[in-house]
Amino acid sequence: MNGQPGTGPADGMEDVVRRVLGEAGRATEVPPWSAAAVRKRVHRMRRRRRAVIAVPLAAVVAATGALLLPGRQTSGTEAPPRVPARPRPPASPSPSLSSRPSPAGPLVVAPGARVALGHGVWVTLAPDQYCLDHGPGSERECHSVTGRHQRRGSLSLDVSDDRSYQFLMPVYVGPGKPTRIVVRRGGSPAADEARVVTLPGTPGFVIAYAWRRPPPRQDDGPTTMTAYDARGHVVATFEDPF
Amino acid sequence: MRVEGGRSDFESYAAARWSGLFRTAFLLTGDHHEAEDLVQATLAKVYLGWHRIRHLDVPDAYVHRALVNNNLSRHRKRRVVQLLTPVLPERSREGGQSHVEERSLLMAALATLPPRQRAAVVLRYWEDYSEHQAAEILGCSPGNVKSQASRGLRKLREHPALAGYVAERAVRGGGPR
């Protein structure tokens, strides 16, 4: 309860919602469980994963061939080069959408400084939280680091996307000082290097960010991440099938 | 399916959880087909990681987290569709709402909440998860769950479909205290 009239559970809204949700949930007709339907999806997902891995490999082979044969001309029968989907125009200077490692080192910022991450997204770090916002008029979304359900010394990943871009935000919580975090999604051999943003010293957490094009499929396989310190030692790893 | 010793184990687990997951998915999506699709897709992903998930202390929390995250991910990809869908049912002005009408009002109002608020409301008031449990599922702090659920309730109260209903209950003194 926050004490404001009409904004807390005091007027019974909490109980009304609890009761009506309970009724709606219980009244819902549940279709029968089908192990076969889930099995079919599992097979489909495995096929997609294999396809996702196979396409970039084919591209590497084609590119290697082109390098070995510099005088080769593209004929009309050959597939045209893949033109990447146009990303949403950036609202501020932004990192490019790519899978190439970012040459930039960690960005050390003062507490409370608002940092543009590109594509109209900003972050502000404080000793106990980080906040994301999407410019004037948008709601700030703050995430506590101290109250976060994340084991010390571990990595987590927030992902948001739409049709044109995908925003990856790894968060490391612990005593280490990662200076680079590499993200691999969808079983793809291509890696996204997320740029680390940190407070000075040893703040006990760092965030990082990367933009990439969304994977071609929704069921894009497991995500793995590795955080490295300045000497290249692994600080933390992450693997999640979701 | 090659997870050693895991298939029958997984199928027993999934069969036992199917109804509960489906009901939660329905409250998150408001659509039977989408709910079924969401739960099946989630369970398929769970299967792929089952060798690891089955050893967790609380696999249910993990599976709920997967369900909610899959739904949030779908929402992000369907933002345009979302803008086209909210249609409010005509509300009776006669008073004395039936339970069916209450449910349809609630579902219409729920459909207007941003996905994370909706998830927070469903986890807190349908699943009866504590703020800490819901935070674990949503991958945020308990304070964030509290504010999302509170904002969700406020929006539900102010929603045209439910505002009159809540006021009516207050006048009749029928609202729970």
Side-chain angles (χ1 to χ4, degrees):
Chain A
M1 263 190 269
N2 55 17
Q4 292 172 19
T7 57
D11 62 355
M13 192 61 190
E14 206 172 38
D15 292 322
V16 169
V17 169
R18 200 185 298 276
R19 183 174 61 72
V20 183
L21 272 178
E23 283 167 9
R26 284 188 293 276
T28 304
E29 209 171 293
V30 180
W33 152 246
S34 164
V38 173
R39 241 178 269 139
K40 207 185 281 177
R41 277 172 188 270
V42 169
H43 290 310
R44 209 159 55 206
M45 284 162 65
R46 285 192 171 139
R47 276 201 305 274
R48 281 176 189 167
R49 283 185 188 184
R50 283 195 288 271
V52 167
I53 293 167
V55 168
L57 280 178
V60 168
V61 170
T64 311
L67 285 174
L68 292 172
L69 301 167
R72 187 173 165 220
Q73 299 291 312
T74 304
S75 79
T77 55
E78 283 176 332
R82 283 178 67 191
V83 179
R86 195 163 65 91
R88 177 194 277 192
S92 58
S94 66
S96 61
L97 282 168
S98 80
S99 292
R100 286 170 294 143
S102 158
L107 190 60
V108 182
V109 300
R114 192 161 169 263
V115 182
L117 305 183
H119 302 276
V121 179
W122 284 265
V123 71
T124 309
L125 302 188
D128 58 346
Q129 66 175 14
Y130 64 93
C131 298
L132 292 168
D133 71 89
H134 294 77
S138 78
E139 217 170 276
R140 248 160 68 107
E141 200 183 293
C142 290
H143 302 270
S144 164
V145 178
T146 48
R148 192 177 176 90
H149 282 262
Q150 186 174 332
R151 192 169 43 82
R152 273 176 67 75
S154 72
L155 277 165
S156 66
L157 179 67
D158 291 339
V159 181
S160 57
D161 52 19
D162 64 14
R163 288 193 180 86
S164 54
Y165 70 91
Q166 190 168 51
F167 179 52
L168 308 174
M169 179 171 253
V171 179
Y172 168 83
V173 177
K177 292 178 75 169
T179 55
R180 53 186 288 256
I181 298 176
V182 177
V183 185
R184 280 192 173 82
R185 298 200 80 210
S188 163
D192 296 287
E193 181 132 348
R195 187 174 191 192
V196 168
V197 184
T198 178
L199 293 170
T202 310
F205 79 100
V206 307
I207 64 131
Y209 70 95
W211 298 94
R212 55 172 263 175
R213 291 185 190 89
R217 304 280 185 181
Q218 183 172 325
D219 297 324
D220 56 337
T223 296
T224 59
M225 287 194 291
T226 310
Y228 301 92
D229 66 14
R231 288 184 295 172
H233 295 148
V234 173
V235 176
T237 57
F238 168 98
E239 187 185 346
D240 193 330
F242 306 112
Chain B
M1 302 217 185
R2 280 174 291 138
V3 180
E4 286 172 12
R7 180 168 166 172
S8 62
D9 187 21
F10 167 78
E11 289 190 4
S12 315
Y13 173 86
R17 299 296 189 281
W18 170 254
S19 297
L21 288 170
F22 179 83
R23 291 192 163 103
T24 300
F26 177 71
L27 294 174
L28 289 172
T29 62
D31 180 275
H32 273 90
H33 293 295
E34 211 173 319
E36 188 172 9
D37 192 58
L38 175 63
V39 180
Q40 285 181 355
T42 302
L43 287 174
K45 288 180 178 179
V46 167
Y47 183 84
L48 291 173
W50 185 241
H51 59 288
R52 194 165 46 82
I53 296 166
R54 67 205 283 252
H55 295 302
L56 294 175
D57 289 339
V58 196
D60 284 352
Y62 201 80
V63 174
H64 270 99
R65 187 179 140 220
L67 184 81
V68 170
N69 284 341
N70 276 341
N71 185 51
L72 291 175
S73 166
R74 286 167 179 230
H75 264 285
R76 289 183 200 111
K77 290 173 183 177
R78 290 177 193 172
R79 229 175 269 169
V80 177
V81 179
Q82 286 283 313
L83 294 175
L84 305 174
T85 47
V87 178
L88 303 182
E90 282 295 316
R91 196 179 150 266
S92 159
R93 297 280 165 206
E94 322 259 310
Q97 316 260 335
S98 71
H99 284 183
V100 173
E101 194 179 356
E102 277 179 21
R103 286 202 294 271
S104 79
L105 291 178
L106 180 79
M107 294 309 286
L110 271 179
T112 65
L113 297 186
R116 284 186 78 83
Q117 271 177 26
R118 183 173 184 164
V121 167
V122 169
L123 292 173
R124 289 282 289 120
Y125 305 122
W126 156 250
E127 293 283 5
D128 256 340
Y129 279 133
S130 68
E131 279 161 4
H132 278 269
Q133 289 168 318
E136 202 149 327
I137 288 168
L138 286 168
C140 63
S141 68
N144 192 261
V145 170
K146 189 175 181 173
S147 70
Q148 295 273 6
S150 163
R151 271 185 236 141
L153 283 182
R154 191 162 59 224
K155 279 190 187 162
L156 289 178
R157 182 187 298 102
E158 289 163 359
H159 190 273
L162 280 179
Y165 171 62
V166 174
E168 218 168 75
R169 289 182 67 93
V171 169
R172 292 206 314 260
R177 299 287 159 202

